[in-house]
Amino acid sequence: MQYLKILALLAISTACFGQTPPASSSTASDAARMTPEQQRQQFRCEQTREQIKEQLSRKVMGPSDRDNLASLRKSERIDCIPPLVQPPPSAAALPAKYPLQAMRQNHQGVVIVRVELAADGSVTDDSVDQSSGFLELDRSALAAVRGWHFDTSLGTSLRVPVRFSLAN
C-alpha cells in the first residue's frame, strides 16, 4: 500500500514539475544530469532496496517471505546498478587463489563479481558481472567472495573487483 502511495506521489510530481524528485542518495547535481527515465529508475531502485532491507530485518522468514525476497532481488538486479566497492578487509585473510593453470598460461585480469548480502554482511548470492575473459579466474573469484564479509551500510547488493596479476 505504501508503495502505491509513493508511486502516486511520483506521478503527481512528474505531472506538476516535469521530473521526478531527486533520489535521496543522489546529490542535486546528479539529479540534474539524469533524464526523467533515469530518475524513475533510481526511484524504483531505492524503493526495491528499502523493501529488501525491511524483509532482511525480520526475524522469522517463511517460504512466502523467501519467495518475496527472491522476487525483490530479481527486481533489484533489473532496476539497480550496484555500487562498485573495494574488497572488504576479510579479503586479505581469504584472498582469491590464483589457479595454477591460469598462472602457467599467463592469464591475468579483473573479475567484477556481483554479490547479494544477508543482514550480517555474508554473501547469499554471487555472479560474474564482468568476466576477466578466463573461466578459471572467474570461478576462483566467485569462490573467494563467498567467504568474505561486507559492510551492509554500503548496500545489500554490491559489485567488487577481484584482481589477478602475475606481477604480485
Side-chain angles (χ1 to χ4, degrees):
M1 188 65 159
Q2 181 182 9
Y3 184 69
L4 294 175
K5 289 178 187 176
I6 293 170
L7 285 178
L9 289 172
L10 176 64
I12 292 168
S13 69
T14 302
C16 294
F17 304 109
Q19 65 180 16
T20 57
S24 62
S25 65
S26 302
T27 64
S29 62
D30 289 342
R33 289 189 299 242
M34 296 171 78
T35 66
E37 178 54 35
Q38 288 171 323
Q39 290 177 356
R40 281 189 288 276
Q41 184 174 7
Q42 179 69 23
F43 180 78
R44 286 191 304 266
C45 174
E46 289 183 8
Q47 290 302 315
T48 302
R49 285 186 173 153
E50 190 62 36
Q51 290 173 337
I52 289 171
K53 282 182 185 177
E54 286 177 25
Q55 192 79 21
L56 289 173
S57 68
R58 294 185 184 158
K59 299 276 186 211
V60 179
M61 289 185 66
S64 63
D65 291 332
R66 282 191 283 275
D67 291 343
N68 187 32
L69 182 59
S71 175
L72 289 170
R73 293 280 197 187
K74 184 177 181 180
S75 295
E76 183 183 33
R77 282 188 202 98
I78 294 167
D79 292 336
C80 305
I81 298 174
L84 184 65
V85 300
Q86 291 302 312
S90 60
L94 298 167
K97 293 182 179 163
Y98 213 126
L100 187 58
Q101 182 70 18
M103 289 174 75
R104 288 182 181 150
Q105 295 177 348
N106 293 322
H107 291 174
Q108 302 181 81
V110 178
V111 182
I112 306 293
V113 178
R114 186 178 194 146
V115 294
E116 307 295 332
L117 304 176
D120 67 353
S122 63
V123 176
T124 60
D125 192 22
D126 55 30
S127 61
V128 174
D129 195 58
Q130 181 180 328
S131 174
S132 64
F134 303 106
L135 185 60
E136 64 273 12
L137 296 182
D138 295 350
R139 286 180 179 160
S140 180
L142 289 172
V145 301
R146 290 179 187 131
W148 296 353
H149 279 66
F150 293 83
D151 179 3
T152 55
S153 68
L154 301 172
T156 58
S157 181
L158 305 171
R159 293 178 306 141
V160 61
V162 181
R163 289 174 173 66
F164 293 92
S165 174
L166 292 170
N168 294 341

